[in-house]
Amino acid sequence: MTNHWIDIRNSDVILIMGSNAAENHPISFKYVLEAMDKGAKLLSVDPRFTRTSAKADLYAPLRSGTDIAFLGGMIKYIIENNLYHAEYMQLHTNATFLVNPDFKMPGELDGLFSGYDEQKRSYDKSSWSFQRDAKGVPKSDLSMQDPNCVLQLLKKHFSRYTPELVSDITGTPQEKLMEVYQIYASTGKAGKAATIMYAMGWTQHTVGTQNIRTMAIIQLLLGNIGIAGGGVNALRGESNVQGSTDHCLLFHILPGYLPTPKASWPDLAKYIEKSTPQTNDPESANWWSNRSKYITSLLRAHFDSGLTTEEDFGYSLLPKLDDGQNASWLMLFDRMFKGDVKGFFAWGQNPACSGSNANKVRKALAKLDWMVTVNLFDNETASFWKGPKMDPSQIDTEVFFLPIAASFEKEGSITNSGRWAQWRYQAVEPLGNSRHDSQVMNELYSRVCALYKKEGGAFPEAITKLSWDYGFKGLDGKIEHIDIHAVAKEINGYFLADKVVKGKSFKKGDLVPSFAYLQDDGSTNSGNWLYCQSYNGKGNNMARRSQKDPSGIGLYPEWGWCWPVNRRILYNRASVDASGQPWDKKQPVIWWNGAKWQGDVPDGGWKPLNQPGTKKSFIMLPDGVASIFGAKMKEGPFPEHYEPLECPIEKNPLSGTKNNPVIKLFYEEGGLEEDIFYSCDQRYPYVATTYRVTEHWQTGVMTRNIPWLLEMQPSMFVEMNPQLAAEKNIKNGDWVKVSSARGQVEAVAIVTKRFQPFKVQGTTIHQVGLPWCYGWSTPNTGDSANLLTPTIGDANTMIPETKAFQVNIEKRG
Amino acid sequence: MELSRRGFLKLSGGAVGASIVGVGLKPAQAYAAPLAIQYAKETTTICPYCAVGCGMIVHSRGGDVINIEGDPDHPINRGTLCSKGSAAYQLRHNEKRITEPMYRAKGSREWQKVSWDWSLDQIAQKIKATRDATFMEKNSKGQVVNRTDGIASVGSAALDNEECYLFQKLLRSWGLVYIEHQARI
C-alpha cells in the first residue's frame, strides 16, 4: 500500500475492485464504513456480488479478465471531460514529456506497440523513449497540447475505449460504467481523495501488472497519489507477505529490492555500474544512485567482516543468475516436473494446493530425491505421496517434516500491508517438541557449515565465510539459541568502524540511525537498507505502542515503525503544490512552513518545487516524476486490453491481438500435456475464477485444522447463476463436477443471483466461482480449485493467471 | 499523561472499586465470578492471518495459552478481530498440531516419528551431497556463477522478518537461486 489501513477513512470515494475487503480483510472494512459515515461513496466492481458489494453505493459487474477495458474507459472519460488535475500532472508526472515520434500504438498496429518481434515474443523498446534536450533531460510541453506529449498520446490510445466497446468486452451495462466513471472522476479536484483497494483479483492475470498500472494512471490523472485517502493500495493477504517481499525471498531480488547478481556482472564495480539508474536532470534526486551503499552494506552484513575492498566484501560468494534466467515459481515447478530439481524446501507453504495447475505441482514433487517441509500441520505438500492418484510404492522422494512454533510461541517482527513493522512477543514455549523457525535455520547453518569445514566440497567459502553472529557461542563455536534481536539489529545495520557522517561521530558497534547514513566504503553493514532505522540507538522502534496522532489523519507515527524512514504515506510530496502547500487543506499530509516540512516524514526533505535547490517529488525514479508513460513494462508503455489465455470469445473486440503478446507460453507444439489450455472451446464454455472466504486462509492449512472455522465453512462449493443452473439441471446443494483442461474438482452447487450472466459480443456468457482453501488431507472438504487453473503467468511478474480460466460443470452422477 | 483506552478502563475500574470500599454501607449482595484471565500473563502479538496487522493479546497461565483476544489499544483493530483471528486459540489447543519431526522413506506408505538430531543431520548431509553434485562454478558461456539449480525453495510469508532475512541469507550461501514464495503467486 502507498497509504495504510487507517487512512482509508480519509477517502471521499473508495473503489474496491479486484478485492473483496469485507470478507477477506474484514477489519479493514471498518475504515471503509467510517469513511462512508462521513459521506464517502463506495464503488464495488466485481464479477460476483460480494459482501463488499452489499455495502456499496454502486455495484458494477464485469467479466473476469477485462479490468483494463473497464478502467481504460474511465481514462477516456476523465481526459475527454477535462476532469484531470492538470497542475498536479504538470508538477508530479511525465504527462508533459514529449515521446519519440517513431512510437506507434495499438490503434495503429492492430493491438501492438512499435518494436514487436514475433519470433522472440518481445519488444525492441527503442521507440518507447522520450525526446531529450542537449543535456539529456526529457523535453516537455507544459501546456500538454503537443501531439507527441504523453497526455495527448494517452488520450489518443484510450479514445478507442468507448463505452459501447468497453461494455461489449466487460459485460458491464453501459449506464453502470458511466456511473462508476462519474463518481470516481469527481475526485480530480484539489481537496478530494479517492482510493483503490485491490488484491489478487487484479494481480493474478496475464495482464496483472498492467491492471494495476491502469489504475495508477487514473490516480495520477486525478491527483490522488501522495494524499490522505488516496494512493494505490494492494491489500496483501498474508500477515508478513510485505516483509517477506521486502526481505526478498524471491529469485530476482536481494533484501531491499536490490537486483540479484547476474553472470555478466562479475564484480562489485560492474554490479554497481550496471544496476544504478542514471539521470541527467539536476532536479532529480534519483535515490537509487545510493545503490552502491545499499549493496555494500548488504554484503557486509552477509559475509565475514574481515573481507576487504579488494575482495569485493564477498560479492563473489553470492550465487549469480545467467543473464535472462527466470527462476520464478512457474519455472521452478516446470524444472522440477522435468526432474531437474533434486532437493526442495517447502517452508511454511503448501504449493500442492496454492500452485496454479496443482496436478502438475503434485506430480513434480514425486520427481524429487528429497524434500523438507516445515509447518504447524500436515498438509497436501508434505503428504503428497499418499494423495489422490499417487502410488507411494512408486515414489522415491524422501520427506522430512519439521514441526515449528506458532506465531505467538516465538518473538520477532512482521510487516503489514500498510508497511508497518510491528513486534510480536513470545507468550509461551513452542508446543511439544516443535521449534522456532530461526532455531531450525541455525541448526541447518551449523551442521552444513561443519560438514564443509570437515570434508571440503564445492565452493565451501560461500558457506564458511557467511557471517552468523546472533548469540552466545559455545566451546564448539556453535550458537545454541538465536537472539532474534541480534538479527533485527543486523537488518538495521551497525557501524563497523569509527566514522563521521553528516557531521555526526559514530563509534564502531553503533547502530546506524537511518539509511541516509549507510556507506559504500565497507564502514557500515545493513542486512536490508529499507529497514535501516527500524532498530537503532533509540531502541526497537517496531515495538513502539504510542497512541499519539498529532496529524489527526491516523498516521500514528510512534506506533510500530514503517518503511521507509517511518514515512506513513508514500509519495507525499505530491500532496502539495509547487510552493509546498497541501492540495487538501483539511487533511494535509505534509506542508512547508517557510523553513521546514511539517506533518508526515516528507518523501525527500528538499525545499518545495518552486525554490532553488529543490528535487522532484518521485525520488525513486530517474526522471523524478511519476510514470504515466511507463516504458519499463514488457507489453507496452500504456496498458492495452488483451483477453485471458483461456477466454470465452473468439476474438479480442479491440484488435487482432488476442492475448498479451509477450507472455511466456508453456504449452506449445510438443509442450507438456500438463500445460494444455483450451480457449473458446465448447467443452469448457464457462468463465471461472477463484476466491477466498472469511473463515479460511489461503490453502486452509491454518484454518481447515481449526475446528471452529471448519464448522463454519465445511466444504468446497461452486457458485453459479440460476439460469446456468437451470440449463444444467443443477439445484442448490447438488454435488457437481467442475473440470478444466487440466483437472477436476467436486463441489456443492450454490445457485445464487450473486452471479449474473454477462452479455458479451452478442452472446450470453456465464461465470462461476470457487474457493481455493480446501485440500484432500482434510477429510470430506474437497480439493483445491488450483487443480483447474492454468500454467501461464503475467508478462512482467510471472504471477499465474488463476482469476480467469475456462471450465465445464456437470451434475455428479 | 497519555492514557490508552485499556489504561482508562483499568483506572476507571479501580476507581469504581475504591468508591465501593469507601462509601458502601451495605455488604454487596452479588458477586461476579472472577474472569478466567484475571491472573493470566498478557502478551501482545499481531494476528498471523491476513496483512491488516491486527493487535491481539495472548493470555497465558502455567505456560499455556488460556485465551486470545483483540488488543483494544491497537490503533487499527481497537480490540476487534475477524472470525479467523478470534479462533487463534485453537492454533495452540489443537490435536492436529505436529509436535515431533517425521520422516517418510523412499517408497514408504507412512510417516515415522524421528528425532530432531537425526533429521537435521540427514538434511544437512543431503544439502551437501546435492549441492556438491549439482554445483555450477561456471555457466555454458564460461561466466562464473557459483550456484546450484539442483535445490529449490518456496516459503514463506508466514515467517517473521528476521526469519525471512536469515532464511534467504542461508539459502543464498548454499548457492540457491530458485528461491520463491507466496508473494509471487
Side-chain angles (χ1 to χ4, degrees):
Chain A
M1 293 169 86
T2 58
N3 295 40
H4 60 100
W5 295 112
I6 296 172
D7 182 65
I8 295 164
R9 77 178 193 210
N10 298 320
S11 299
D12 296 298
V13 177
I14 299 164
L15 172 61
I16 301 187
M17 182 169 175
S19 77
N20 175 13
E23 292 177 74
N24 297 332
H25 299 84
I27 302 303
S28 79
F29 213 67
K30 209 156 81 81
Y31 294 101
V32 175
L33 298 177
E34 212 174 304
M36 291 173 79
D37 285 345
K38 293 190 288 178
K41 292 268 184 262
L42 174 62
L43 310 173
S44 165
V45 181
D46 199 292
R48 179 178 60 134
F49 187 88
T50 66
R51 286 177 176 83
T52 298
S53 317
K55 281 288 185 187
D57 294 285
L58 179 64
Y59 166 70
L62 94 167
R63 171 172 65 98
S64 268
T66 63
D67 304 75
I68 290 173
F70 190 105
L71 297 172
M74 186 173 343
I75 293 177
K76 174 183 164 72
Y77 177 85
I78 292 168
I79 298 177
E80 292 181 358
N81 291 290
N82 287 313
L83 297 169
Y84 51 85
H85 191 329
E87 195 184 343
Y88 179 103
M89 288 161 63
Q90 288 157 349
L91 286 173
H92 302 303
T93 76
N94 65 15
T96 61
F97 287 17
L98 302 183
V99 174
N100 185 335
D102 296 337
F103 173 66
K104 297 280 177 292
M105 299 194 291
E108 300 156 90
L109 300 176
D110 199 23
L112 296 166
F113 291 89
S114 45
Y116 186 63
D117 183 329
E118 202 176 341
Q119 292 297 312
K120 292 186 186 160
R121 292 184 58 78
S122 69
Y123 279 99
D124 167 1
K125 296 183 183 177
S126 51
S127 65
W128 306 3
S129 55
F130 296 126
Q131 301 175 36
R132 291 178 187 269
D133 65 18
K135 290 183 201 148
V137 177
K139 289 185 186 172
S140 281
D141 169 27
L142 279 179
S143 74
M144 301 190 285
Q145 295 306 311
D146 189 301
N148 275 321
C149 86
V150 168
L151 179 63
Q152 292 304 322
L153 291 173
L154 184 76
K155 180 177 180 179
K156 185 174 159 192
H157 174 59
F158 283 109
S159 65
R160 298 152 60 229
Y161 289 60
T162 61
E164 299 74 25
L165 188 57
V166 169
S167 174
D168 205 28
I169 295 170
T170 61
T172 314
Q174 274 189 54
E175 65 276 11
K176 293 282 178 198
L177 284 175
M178 297 317 290
E179 275 187 80
V180 171
Y181 296 170
Q182 281 161 15
I183 294 172
Y184 203 85
S186 71
T187 62
K189 305 182 189 95
K192 288 282 174 196
T195 193
I196 168 64
M197 298 168 71
Y198 77 90
M200 312 315 276
W202 268 2
T203 56
Q204 290 174 336
H205 291 281
T206 42
V207 293
T209 314
Q210 294 282 20
N211 281 338
I212 294 142
R213 253 190 65 69
T214 319
M215 193 68 217
I217 290 171
I218 290 172
Q219 290 296 68
L220 290 168
L221 291 174
L222 298 173
N224 276 331
I225 288 182
I227 64 172
V232 176
N233 294 303
L235 316 187
R236 306 209 66 181
E238 312 220 8
S239 58
N240 196 33
V241 73
Q242 187 59 57
S244 58
T245 309
D246 301 336
H247 292 296
C248 300
L249 281 163
L250 292 163
F251 90 90
H252 68 298
I253 36 180
L254 304 177
Y257 303 92
L258 306 174
T260 301
K262 55 183 180 181
S264 63
W265 301 346
D267 51 40
L268 182 56
K270 188 61 89 181
Y271 177 97
I272 292 167
E273 179 199 327
K274 291 292 183 186
S275 70
T276 306
Q278 303 295 325
T279 182
N280 293 312
D281 186 345
E283 286 199 354
S284 167
N286 190 27
W287 195 265
W288 277 121
S289 63
N290 293 302
R291 177 92 74 200
S292 61
K293 298 168 187 170
Y294 305 153
I295 182 68
T296 305
S297 295
L298 178 138
L299 292 169
R300 300 299 274 153
H302 267 228
F303 301 112
D304 186 340
S305 59
L307 290 164
T308 61
T309 317
E310 290 69 35
E311 292 166 302
D312 266 356
F313 304 120
Y315 175 80
S316 66
L317 303 176
L318 282 174
K320 286 162 192 69
L321 292 161
D322 288 345
D323 289 56
Q325 182 181 1
N326 187 310
S328 69
W329 182 277
L330 291 173
M331 305 298 284
L332 187 163
F333 284 101
D334 197 56
R335 287 189 73 250
M336 192 188 291
F337 185 89
K338 291 169 180 163
D340 296 334
V341 179
K342 306 296 176 194
F344 180 57
F345 291 88
W347 198 304
Q349 189 161 12
N350 183 19
C353 285
S354 63
S356 193
N357 197 359
N359 271 324
K360 182 182 176 186
V361 172
R362 293 172 184 188
K363 286 181 193 170
L365 296 173
K367 311 272 178 77
L368 292 165
D369 291 347
W370 55 271
M371 172 167 75
V372 178
T373 60
V374 184
N375 219 308
L376 278 77
F377 299 100
D378 193 8
N379 56 72
E380 291 73 16
T381 302
S383 288
F384 78 91
W385 41 272
K386 55 178 173 178
K389 295 188 226 161
M390 293 281 173
D391 175 0
S393 67
Q394 300 301 308
I395 295 171
D396 285 346
T397 314
E398 285 180 84
V399 187
F400 299 86
F401 190 110
L402 304 180
I404 42 94
S407 56
F408 47 82
E409 297 166 354
K410 62 184 181 182
E411 185 174 14
S413 69
I414 60 169
T415 304
N416 79 359
S417 198
R419 297 167 288 103
W420 293 16
Q422 305 185 90
W423 198 257
R424 299 198 285 208
Y425 295 93
Q426 180 172 342
V428 289
E429 289 299 317
L431 188 66
N433 213 358
S434 63
R435 291 187 179 182
H436 293 160
D437 296 270
S438 59
Q439 192 184 355
V440 180
M441 291 169 199
N442 183 48
E443 289 291 341
L444 292 176
Y445 160 77
S446 307
R447 287 168 202 244
V448 172
C449 192
L451 285 174
Y452 275 93
K453 279 182 177 161
K454 189 171 146 207
E455 301 170 6
F459 199 50
E461 298 86 349
I463 292 165
T464 57
K465 290 190 176 167
L466 197 71
S467 79
W468 199 269
D469 197 9
Y470 307 115
F472 180 75
K473 286 180 180 166
L475 258 185
D476 56 358
K478 191 180 155 188
I479 296 169
E480 278 305 315
H481 296 287
I482 289 266
D483 174 3
I484 215 71
H485 291 264
V487 183
K489 288 178 191 173
E490 177 177 291
I491 291 170
N492 179 85
Y494 293 99
F495 281 93
L496 301 177
D498 293 355
K499 183 95 183 170
V500 177
V501 185
K502 298 177 191 286
K504 285 189 190 170
S505 294
F506 296 95
K507 293 282 181 210
K508 180 180 176 181
D510 285 353
L511 288 160
V512 180
S514 77
F515 58 64
Y517 293 85
L518 292 175
Q519 302 295 306
D520 58 8
D521 61 0
S523 62
T524 55
N525 73 9
S526 173
N528 187 336
W529 71 277
L530 208 49
Y531 280 71
C532 188
Q533 197 191 59
S534 62
Y535 203 133
N536 59 14
K538 290 183 176 168
N540 181 358
N541 294 314
M542 299 175 283
R544 296 182 298 179
R545 284 178 64 86
S546 166
Q547 300 285 324
K548 282 183 207 158
D549 180 26
S551 66
I553 57 170
L555 299 182
Y556 293 97
E558 293 175 30
W559 181 279
W561 175 87
C562 132
W563 67 256
V565 289
N566 209 34
R567 181 176 302 131
R568 303 281 160 151
I569 296 184
L570 292 180
Y571 313 116
N572 58 29
R573 279 206 305 138
S575 72
V576 298
D577 64 17
S579 65
Q581 295 314 300
W583 305 114
D584 186 344
K585 305 283 191 287
K586 293 197 297 289
Q587 301 183 135
V589 181
I590 60 164
W591 61 97
W592 180 254
N593 70 0
K596 59 177 186 176
W597 291 103
Q598 304 281 305
D600 194 13
V601 178
D603 209 334
W606 294 279
K607 291 175 181 178
L609 292 175
N610 66 1
Q611 297 193 25
T614 187
K615 301 278 186 193
K616 292 176 178 172
S617 47
F618 282 76
I619 65 173
M620 303 309 285
L621 295 170
D623 291 326
V625 290
S627 304
I628 287 178
F629 185 91
K632 275 193 173 175
M633 294 294 107
K634 292 237 167 100
E635 57 281 87
F638 294 136
E640 165 79 350
H641 167 75
Y642 301 112
E643 287 289 322
L645 180 73
E646 284 191 334
C647 72
I649 55 176
E650 203 75 63
K651 280 182 63 187
N652 180 350
L654 255 171
S655 76
T657 307
K658 186 172 180 181
N659 304 121
N660 184 337
V662 296
I663 48 176
K664 175 184 166 54
L665 296 170
F666 283 80
Y667 182 77
E668 292 156 313
E669 200 68 34
L672 291 173
E673 190 191 332
E674 279 71 16
D675 294 330
I676 195 166
F677 65 93
Y678 293 121
S679 201
C680 205
D681 188 305
Q682 276 312 303
R683 288 171 292 179
Y684 302 100
Y686 312 120
V687 179
T689 194
T690 62
Y691 39 77
R692 288 179 15 194
V693 296
T694 309
E695 292 76 13
H696 288 294
W697 185 64
Q698 313 299 51
T699 68
V701 174
M702 272 171 57
T703 51
R704 278 186 266 138
N705 287 303
I706 302 290
W708 290 335
L709 295 171
L710 188 62
E711 185 181 352
M712 286 197 281
Q713 281 287 1
S715 68
M716 186 66 178
F717 59 83
V718 54
E719 290 182 85
M720 67 187 78
N721 71 63
Q723 187 183 329
L724 172 61
E727 278 175 27
K728 306 292 285 189
N729 193 26
I730 294 168
K731 292 189 187 61
N732 199 34
D734 283 352
W735 276 95
V736 296
K737 282 196 275 193
V738 185
S739 55
S740 78
R742 297 156 298 277
Q744 178 179 306
V745 291
E746 296 192 347
V748 175
I750 296 182
V751 179
T752 170
K753 291 176 182 170
R754 291 193 287 263
F755 271 115
Q756 289 291 321
F758 295 105
K759 272 272 176 262
V760 173
Q761 294 277 284
T763 62
T764 298
I765 289 178
H766 297 290
Q767 179 162 351
V768 301
L770 310 93
W772 60 282
C773 51
Y774 298 105
W776 60 264
S777 79
T778 307
N780 308 315
T781 61
D783 211 339
S784 174
N786 276 319
L787 293 164
L788 307 172
T789 53
T791 306
I792 196 74
D794 168 76
N796 296 280
T797 64
M798 292 282 273
I799 188 173
E801 186 163 64
T802 56
K803 286 292 176 272
F805 53 97
Q806 294 293 119
V807 299
N808 189 27
I809 294 181
E810 291 297 335
K811 198 166 166 174
R812 194 174 69 175
Chain B
M1 177 185 175
E2 193 189 328
L3 195 56
S4 67
R5 189 182 295 191
R6 277 176 70 236
F8 174 75
L9 289 173
K10 278 181 191 164
L11 271 181
S12 56
V16 171
S19 70
I20 290 170
V21 172
V23 300
L25 298 174
K26 286 193 284 185
Q29 298 295 307
Y31 299 92
L35 283 175
I37 58 172
Q38 191 170 9
Y39 300 110
K41 182 176 100 176
E42 290 192 347
T43 309
T44 58
T45 187
I46 303 294
C47 181
Y49 291 106
C50 87
V52 173
C54 298
M56 292 172 155
I57 295 174
V58 181
H59 294 100
S60 58
R61 197 163 51 205
D64 213 348
V65 174
I66 60 165
N67 181 53
I68 298 181
E69 64 187 38
D71 179 352
D73 285 347
H74 197 284
I76 294 175
N77 60 308
R78 295 286 178 204
T80 62
L81 291 174
C82 75
S83 49
K84 292 186 292 294
S86 303
Y89 170 88
Q90 287 194 334
L91 285 169
R92 176 77 180 187
H93 295 278
N94 192 313
E95 58 194 28
K96 289 189 179 163
R97 274 281 294 274
I98 308 288
T99 56
E100 298 289 345
M102 299 192 297
Y103 171 69
R104 183 263 174 186
K106 274 186 191 182
S108 170
R109 293 181 176 276
E110 57 198 22
W111 289 109
Q112 61 187 95
K113 194 175 124 182
V114 288
S115 74
W116 273 104
D117 207 41
W118 181 85
S119 307
L120 292 165
D121 268 342
Q122 287 290 308
I123 296 166
Q125 284 165 23
K126 287 188 188 304
I127 292 167
K128 182 166 191 299
T130 306
R131 182 180 183 272
D132 285 352
T134 60
F135 200 80
M136 198 191 302
E137 191 197 330
K138 290 184 177 170
N139 64 13
S140 57
K141 287 184 183 166
Q143 297 164 311
V144 175
V145 291
N146 284 330
R147 69 164 196 263
T148 171
D149 290 346
I151 310 177
S153 173
V154 301
S156 176
L159 294 171
D160 290 351
N161 282 320
E162 295 73 24
E163 295 162 344
C164 289
Y165 170 73
L166 281 184
F167 193 40
Q168 66 81 32
K169 186 173 177 176
L170 190 58
L171 295 173
R172 289 184 162 118
S173 80
W174 295 337
L176 270 72
V177 292
Y178 282 88
I179 300 171
E180 288 281 285
H181 81 287
Q182 285 94 341
R184 178 76 61 194
I185 59 171

